[in-house]
Amino acid sequence: MSETIEHADLISGVKYASLIQSAIFPKDRHFKRSFNEYFLLYEPLYFVSGDFYWVGKRDHFDFIVVGDCTGHGLSASMLSVLLMNIFQYAIMTKGGLNPAEILAEVDRKFLECFHNEADAVYDNEWAEVSLVCINRKRKELYFSGAKNKLLIVSQDGTSELVKGNEFPLGGWQIEKTRKFDVHIVSYDSGDMLYLGSDGFHDQFGGVKSKRYGSKRLHERLRTLVSLDASQQKKILKSELLDWKGTNRQTDDICLLGVRL
């Protein structure tokens, strides 16, 4: 009986934690300060999520961050909250504009959080992150990624996949010396940006119970680009459910699309 009660209390606590986590995430009004049209497909695996998203605005610059922390559940959700706060500090307080420099700053502070000076060697978690800075005056966007990507789709369906560096934030034991690159891309009004974690394209399903796949997802997004963002979300959510079928959800899912 006590184990049942403890389990029920644990589930109740995790559900309450999900309310707290959602309270920290940007709201609809925050997105609408920068974008007239957007969608967010966000599906935690276990109530709370290691996937996170953040938006900010400074003068004529708009910022988008989407990340995927290692693990699932409570531990990953705590990492996501930590990283959102560090990004808030690096962009809004320190005034960073260059995404590569912002990622380097966040990476340094993230590592410091896990460093105990009494220990000669230490370990830490990591996160895969996409960061975009949009310069409205120049109609350019600046992208840096830590083992993550950005998909840009024009209204005619043509697309450009911009790849980040092949190492994450944190996880110093994976890559001890690293320098993030910044990619500069011109854009047209009406272009869509898509950022996300690997949760959607890693979902198992279909007739042969295989992963949905990033190539399939990118092709699907290209076919949907002319639709309103809310319609895109509805179609993508339905397709995900159909693909998953009777399979369990594989991972946290976060997919964000914004119209420039």
Side-chain angles (χ1 to χ4, degrees):
M1 178 66 74
S2 61
E3 290 183 359
T4 303
I5 294 173
E6 289 174 2
H7 179 72
D9 288 344
L10 177 62
I11 296 299
S12 176
V14 173
K15 287 182 177 179
Y16 185 64
S18 72
L19 293 177
I20 297 173
Q21 187 182 34
S22 63
I24 299 170
F25 285 136
K27 305 297 186 293
D28 181 63
R29 67 180 182 275
H30 300 128
F31 281 99
K32 288 185 175 178
R33 287 174 188 166
S34 301
F35 310 104
N36 293 325
E37 195 180 333
Y38 80 95
F39 76 80
L40 175 68
L41 183 57
Y42 188 75
E43 302 284 346
L45 179 61
Y46 301 126
F47 302 109
V48 290
S49 177
D51 289 359
F52 67 94
Y53 54 93
W54 183 90
V55 293
K57 187 176 186 66
R58 281 196 5 249
D59 301 320
H60 59 280
F61 296 97
D62 296 303
F63 299 87
I64 311 171
V65 181
V66 171
D68 179 359
C69 300
T70 51
H72 310 104
L74 285 172
S75 60
S77 70
M78 294 179 73
L79 289 174
S80 74
V81 171
L82 172 62
L83 277 170
M84 278 191 288
N85 277 281
I86 300 176
F87 272 108
Q88 172 84 21
Y89 165 78
I91 296 172
M92 305 305 288
T93 303
K94 289 203 69 176
L97 285 176
N98 185 318
E101 294 176 359
I102 294 170
L103 285 187
E105 172 73 10
V106 173
D107 186 51
R108 182 181 65 80
K109 286 198 166 291
F110 190 53
L111 286 168
E112 286 178 354
C113 291
F114 295 92
H115 183 204
N116 183 344
E117 293 182 359
D119 297 329
V121 179
Y122 62 98
D123 197 3
N124 70 282
E125 304 294 344
W126 61 87
E128 300 171 357
V129 177
S130 291
L131 169 59
V132 178
C133 172
I134 303 165
N135 186 333
R136 296 291 187 178
K137 286 187 177 180
R138 297 178 63 93
K139 296 195 77 172
E140 290 180 338
L141 61 86
Y142 317 121
F143 168 78
S144 291
K147 210 172 180 182
N148 216 340
K149 305 171 185 177
L150 167 70
L151 180 67
I152 308 167
V153 184
S154 302
Q155 288 187 302
D156 63 1
T158 59
S159 66
E160 181 176 359
L161 183 64
V162 190
K163 297 181 179 181
N165 294 97
E166 287 299 319
F167 42 80
L169 288 183
W172 68 268
Q173 68 279 8
I174 297 175
E175 184 74 31
K176 292 185 178 181
T177 55
R178 49 193 163 189
K179 183 177 183 296
F180 295 100
D181 300 315
V182 61
H183 304 268
I184 303 174
V185 182
S186 298
Y187 69 86
D188 295 318
S189 297
D191 288 355
M192 286 284 297
L193 305 183
Y194 298 99
L195 306 89
S197 67
D198 56 9
F200 194 121
H201 59 72
D202 277 355
Q203 177 60 49
F204 283 94
V207 176
K208 297 183 179 180
S209 192
K210 292 186 175 181
R211 288 185 175 91
Y212 188 88
S214 57
K215 182 178 180 181
R216 186 197 306 267
L217 177 59
H218 296 164
E219 289 176 350
R220 191 69 178 111
L221 292 172
R222 284 193 285 269
T223 68
L224 298 176
V225 69
S226 62
L227 299 178
D228 180 85
S230 60
Q231 292 178 283
Q232 293 186 44
K233 177 180 178 178
K234 184 178 180 180
I235 292 170
L236 288 166
K237 189 168 185 176
S238 176
E239 181 150 336
L240 179 64
L241 289 172
D242 288 344
W243 178 263
K244 183 173 68 171
T246 58
N247 291 281
R248 298 181 64 182
Q249 185 171 328
T250 308
D251 197 355
D252 296 322
I253 293 171
C254 179
L255 179 60
L256 174 63
V258 301
R259 179 99 55 194
L260 298 174

